[in-house]
Amino acid sequence: FKAGINTATYMYMIDYAAEHGFEYVLFDEGWSGRNDLLTLNPNVDMPSLCRHAGEKGVGVCLWSNWVTMDRQLEEALDLMASWGVKGVKVDFMERNDVEMVRFYERVAKAAAQRKMLVNFHSSYPADGLHARYPNVMTREGVVGLEYNKWSERATPKHQLIIPYLRQWASGMDFTPGSMVNTQKKFFRIRHDDPMSQGTRCHHMAMYVVYESPLQMLSDSPSKYDASPQWLPFLQEVPAVWDDTIPLWGTIGENIAVARRSGDRYFVGAMSSGDAEDAVIELNFLPEGDWEMKIWEDGVNAWKNAVDYRFSTRQVKAGDKVSVRFAPAGGYVAIIERKS
């Protein structure tokens, strides 16, 4: 089929999500009229897509700019609810005055009444709204990976500042998951098939370091299929956590975090500068024998940022694991009890 904003593409996305255990598919800008959520794009059969998604056990989320959502809030959400839509992504607010803060609450309340989740983009940073409306899953308010289509601002240094300054409260939707990775000197702005700065492991570590209860796979399914050792990690990494253990870090330079989900531990580490060595101490592990699956920068990641090495090793509480970061590098691991 010809990929684009059309029924065939979204059918494929829904089937892909169902096959790999991903909970939602986002229909971004273009599924409706530009300034009218009640008028559908004739190339997108929304009722059929939502029925198919329901049969597959996949939730559909729909994008809207805030101006249109503000004008058509009740009618639009009623229509979406009639299709079985599970959530909305509202965009381009770019203000935090009284009128806009009230708009956030109106959307959160109206969506909650229809059992829909909400993702706010182009938003001011989280302020505790999630505590009143738990259906507000996450929000952007940060220079995320989409900026790579038109800007050089999503740098490795920026990506090592935001965990410290932006994640004070609630989720941060950075839209991670880029599979076209490059070192900064090779980076080029291109809207189609965009690339990202930093190694493959740098970007995969974001799923542990960056916290968002509604996480994103931002690249094409074909890119994930072409990296069979990464797809299992993306299927396994949780979007919510039972415990968080900060390990070490310096703002703008590096960070290492361990998080627990049930009886499994995930470790994510990122750097922004030149190649460097570090040590991760496994003092957070309970006693016993554990297996550690590791994805780390490959020996050629300094020039070919997609290069990585996968390995496994047996570990126990208190072990020290050596990490060798490539420039703008990363490291990610899953630790499970040895059976």
Side-chain angles (χ1 to χ4, degrees):
F1 60 90
K2 185 176 181 179
I5 304 174
N6 57 51
T7 300
T9 299
Y10 284 127
M11 282 288 188
Y12 173 81
M13 294 288 190
I14 290 166
D15 290 343
Y16 191 87
E19 179 184 356
H20 296 291
F22 301 129
E23 195 169 357
Y24 301 103
V25 169
L26 171 69
F27 293 18
D28 216 311
E29 183 178 12
W31 66 269
S32 71
R34 184 171 181 83
N35 296 301
D36 184 1
L37 298 176
L38 307 179
T39 300
L40 299 183
N41 179 339
N43 297 317
V44 180
D45 187 344
M46 188 61 67
S48 293
L49 286 165
C50 289
R51 282 196 300 272
H52 183 67
E55 292 166 359
K56 291 283 188 173
V58 175
V60 169
C61 298
L62 300 179
W63 179 94
S64 171
N65 65 60
W66 86 268
V67 174
T68 307
M69 182 65 75
D70 186 39
R71 189 177 70 251
Q72 298 180 323
L73 179 62
E74 299 294 333
E75 294 171 290
L77 292 188
D78 281 343
L79 180 61
M80 294 176 190
S82 73
W83 295 330
V85 168
K86 303 301 183 185
V88 291
K89 176 180 176 179
V90 189
D91 208 345
F92 295 129
M93 288 77 72
E94 299 177 345
R95 294 164 26 206
N96 65 347
D97 54 50
V98 171
E99 177 189 5
M100 188 57 69
V101 172
R102 288 173 177 166
F103 167 76
Y104 276 58
E105 184 147 0
R106 288 196 300 109
V107 171
K109 183 176 181 180
Q113 290 170 343
R114 295 162 177 84
K115 296 182 170 58
M116 290 184 184
L117 63 85
V118 181
N119 178 1
F120 288 116
H121 262 231
S122 296
S123 64
Y124 58 89
D127 63 349
L129 184 65
H130 174 78
R132 298 195 302 279
Y133 296 97
N135 61 314
V136 178
M137 302 294 288
T138 190
R139 63 173 77 185
E140 188 189 37
V142 67
V143 172
L145 279 188
E146 65 183 45
Y147 275 74
N148 288 317
K149 294 182 176 183
W150 61 83
S151 165
E152 296 184 4
R153 293 177 62 190
T155 64
K157 186 175 183 66
H158 166 74
Q159 287 153 193
L160 266 298
I161 292 174
I162 55 179
Y164 295 94
L165 293 187
R166 170 59 184 80
Q167 289 196 156
W168 287 105
S170 191
M172 179 184 75
D173 188 10
F174 185 76
T175 57
S178 170
M179 304 296 280
V180 184
N181 318 113
T182 187
Q183 291 293 348
K184 187 174 182 179
K185 65 180 179 180
F186 302 121
F187 178 79
R188 300 291 182 271
I189 297 171
R190 58 191 196 194
H191 191 275
D192 296 320
D193 198 23
M195 59 178 65
S196 61
Q197 299 178 47
T199 68
R200 172 70 56 80
C201 292
H202 177 98
H203 283 270
M204 292 301 106
M206 292 175 182
Y207 285 96
V208 180
V209 174
Y210 296 170
E211 186 170 7
S212 178
L214 185 67
Q215 202 53 282
M216 172 69 76
L217 277 71
S218 63
D219 220 323
S220 167
S222 60
K223 300 279 179 52
Y224 300 119
D225 285 341
S227 301
Q229 285 183 326
W230 281 114
L231 194 55
F233 170 75
L234 293 168
Q235 290 173 287
E236 291 185 51
V237 64
V240 294
W241 304 97
D242 297 318
D243 195 14
T244 295
I245 306 102
L247 300 176
W248 44 256
T250 301
I251 187 168
E253 297 181 13
N254 50 48
I255 194 169
V257 176
R259 298 190 192 269
R260 180 180 63 84
S261 175
D263 58 358
R264 297 196 299 170
Y265 290 82
F266 293 73
V267 177
M270 301 164 61
S271 72
S272 67
D274 296 332
E276 61 177 294
D277 294 315
V279 173
I280 292 174
E281 297 187 17
L282 304 182
N283 297 329
F284 54 85
L285 286 180
E287 293 298 321
D289 296 324
W290 299 80
E291 182 177 73
M292 191 172 187
K293 294 186 288 187
I294 300 166
W295 295 259
E296 57 190 326
D297 295 327
V299 295
N300 294 303
W302 63 274
K303 62 178 178 178
N304 180 11
V306 301
D307 185 35
Y308 69 91
R309 185 168 70 95
F310 175 78
S311 62
T312 62
R313 60 178 291 182
Q314 308 307 309
V315 296
K316 60 183 184 299
D319 279 358
K320 295 182 179 181
V321 178
S322 297
V323 177
R324 175 66 175 172
F325 289 116
Y331 178 98
V332 68
I334 302 175
I335 308 175
E336 301 176 289
R337 281 199 181 275
K338 189 177 177 181
S339 57

